[in-house]
Amino acid sequence: MRVWCDPLGLALGVALDRLLADPQSPAHPVAAFGRAAGRLEGVLYADDRARGAVHVAACVGGAAALGVLAVRIAPHRAVRTGLTALATWAVLGGTTLAREGEYMADALESGDLEGARARLPHLCGRDPRHLEADELARATVESLAENTSDAVVAPLFWGAVAGVPGLLAYRAINTLDAMIGHRSPRYERFGWAAARLDDLANFVPARLTGVLTVLTAPDPGGARAMLSRDGHRHPSPNAGRCEAAFAGGLGVTLGGTNVYEGRTEERPTMGDGPKPRVADIRRAVKLTRAVGLAAAGAAVVTAWALRRLARP
């Protein structure tokens, strides 16, 4: 039985992310993938779901195949461990996510409202132009909650169960969702497959994020109660599990009116506490880091257990 997961490689990749954060460079593999996906979109685009599905299959299949090939041609286990570490580092975004949260906290605590508004697009697609400090804080806490799953728990989950191919395929799926999976006249049909595949890939990780939040939150009972009561209320099948658990664990209420490029959405509220204030951002950053650490430990143990089970 072939086992793709490498527990030591995963652990080293997590350590690299913690020490070096997300590698910011035009040569970053994720950036290179985005450029390639954009060029392929230019060839395949039509206002059609089938064309969009072909685009997704080619991009995700290519990323997974590259991962399989890299592992198969690696001559030694040490090389495969190194490949896993590099792939994990390339796709993880936990340290960068926490730093973005801290940047928002620094800006708002110092009264730099314009700086915070300019930085918010690094976290989410919400229109920040008319947001005041407390609404920027809510947007930040909600983005930290959702991206804890997308940027940390989900890649670790797929790395644990499918190694380098799983890491690369997941990041391809998530990147395509960010590129073409949003609602707009251009991508309403072409981006449908990307959005649905991202929902599927994040279904288990989002629920794991909710559970890990319950285990690590300042108020575990509140996180558990809000996850159970409100986790299903979000229009996303996955984001609500993360946001509800964060809301309960931090003792705040998330949700409300959001504006995206002129489009207004009314989101159900989750939680029983007050709306987030600027001071709650650092508490959310701390919780994001705690969930990420718990997810890393669980991923390494899972990868080790799968390798042991596969031994003859």
Side-chain angles (χ1 to χ4, degrees), residues 108 133-134 137-138 141 252 274-282:
L108 290 171
D134 286 350
R138 177 171 71 87
V141 173
V252 299
K275 290 286 188 179
R277 306 296 295 271
V278 172
D280 292 311
I281 295 177
R282 293 197 189 276

Side-chain angles (χ1 to χ4, degrees), residues 196-259:
R196 298 291 78 76
L197 185 58
D198 185 74
D199 288 343
L200 183 62
N202 283 292
F203 187 86
V204 173
R207 284 146 183 83
L208 287 175
T209 301
V211 171
L212 293 173
T213 302
V214 171
L215 295 176
T216 58
D219 182 358
R224 182 174 58 252
M226 293 305 105
L227 175 61
S228 176
R229 192 191 76 180
D230 295 340
H232 66 285
R233 301 182 65 210
H234 197 283
S236 164
N238 299 320
R241 314 291 169 167
C242 311
E243 291 186 21
F246 264 62
L250 296 172
V252 299
T253 291
L254 301 178
T257 303
N258 296 340
V259 178

Side-chain angles (χ1 to χ4, degrees), residues 18 93-106 109 123 137 140-145 148 152 216 218 246 250 277-293:
R18 187 67 184 89
T95 298
T96 298
L97 176 64
R99 289 179 180 176
E100 289 295 336
E102 289 177 333
Y103 184 96
M104 291 295 291
D106 289 342
E109 288 168 0
L123 284 169
T140 301
V141 173
E142 290 173 356
S143 298
L144 288 170
T148 296
V152 186
T216 58
F246 264 62
L250 296 172
R277 306 296 295 271
V278 172
D280 292 311
I281 295 177
R282 293 197 189 276
R283 298 173 62 230
V285 169
K286 185 176 180 180
L287 181 54
T288 290
R289 287 192 168 124
V291 172
L293 182 61

Side-chain angles (χ1 to χ4, degrees), residues 4-281:
W4 297 103
C5 50
D6 186 303
L8 179 58
L10 278 177
L12 290 173
V14 171
L16 284 172
D17 177 66
R18 187 67 184 89
L19 290 171
L20 304 175
D22 194 28
Q24 301 294 314
S25 164
H28 188 302
V30 177
F33 170 83
R35 291 192 295 270
R39 286 194 291 270
L40 184 60
E41 178 188 336
V43 174
L44 291 176
Y45 179 81
D47 189 18
D48 179 74
R49 285 186 177 184
R51 287 287 192 97
V54 171
H55 178 256
V56 170
C59 292
V60 176
L66 180 63
V68 171
L69 179 64
V71 174
R72 285 193 178 277
I73 66 175
H76 304 292
R77 181 174 176 179
V79 177
R80 292 192 292 273
T81 296
L83 284 173
T84 302
L86 290 174
T88 303
W89 174 43
V91 306
L92 274 183
T95 298
T96 298
L97 176 64
R99 289 179 180 176
E100 289 295 336
E102 289 177 333
Y103 184 96
M104 291 295 291
D106 289 342
L108 290 171
E109 288 168 0
S110 67
D112 183 9
L113 195 59
E114 289 306 314
R117 287 170 175 163
R119 196 72 179 191
L120 187 65
H122 289 246
L123 284 169
C124 65
R126 206 168 303 180
D127 185 347
R129 289 176 294 175
H130 305 296
L131 297 182
E132 298 301 325
D134 286 350
E135 279 300 300
L136 288 166
R138 177 171 71 87
T140 301
V141 173
E142 290 173 356
S143 298
L144 288 170
E146 181 177 357
N147 287 309
T148 296
S149 177
D150 290 356
V152 186
V153 179
L156 288 170
F157 170 80
W158 288 109
V161 302
V164 174
L167 289 163
L168 299 187
Y170 173 75
R171 184 49 64 204
I173 291 168
N174 193 245
T175 302
L176 286 175
D177 180 62
M179 292 175 65
I180 65 173
H182 51 85
R183 292 181 180 178
S184 70
R186 177 176 175 85
Y187 295 125
E188 184 70 28
R189 294 183 179 84
F190 187 79
W192 178 86
R196 298 291 78 76
L197 185 58
D198 185 74
D199 288 343
L200 183 62
N202 283 292
F203 187 86
V204 173
R207 284 146 183 83
L208 287 175
T209 301
V211 171
L212 293 173
T213 302
V214 171
L215 295 176
T216 58
D219 182 358
R224 182 174 58 252
M226 293 305 105
L227 175 61
S228 176
R229 192 191 76 180
D230 295 340
H232 66 285
R233 301 182 65 210
H234 197 283
S236 164
N238 299 320
R241 314 291 169 167
C242 311
E243 291 186 21
F246 264 62
L250 296 172
V252 299
T253 291
L254 301 178
T257 303
N258 296 340
V259 178
Y260 301 90
E261 297 180 352
R263 186 183 79 255
T264 300
E265 294 185 9
E266 293 293 338
R267 297 285 177 84
T269 57
M270 294 172 284
D272 285 334
K275 290 286 188 179
R277 306 296 295 271
V278 172
D280 292 311
I281 295 177

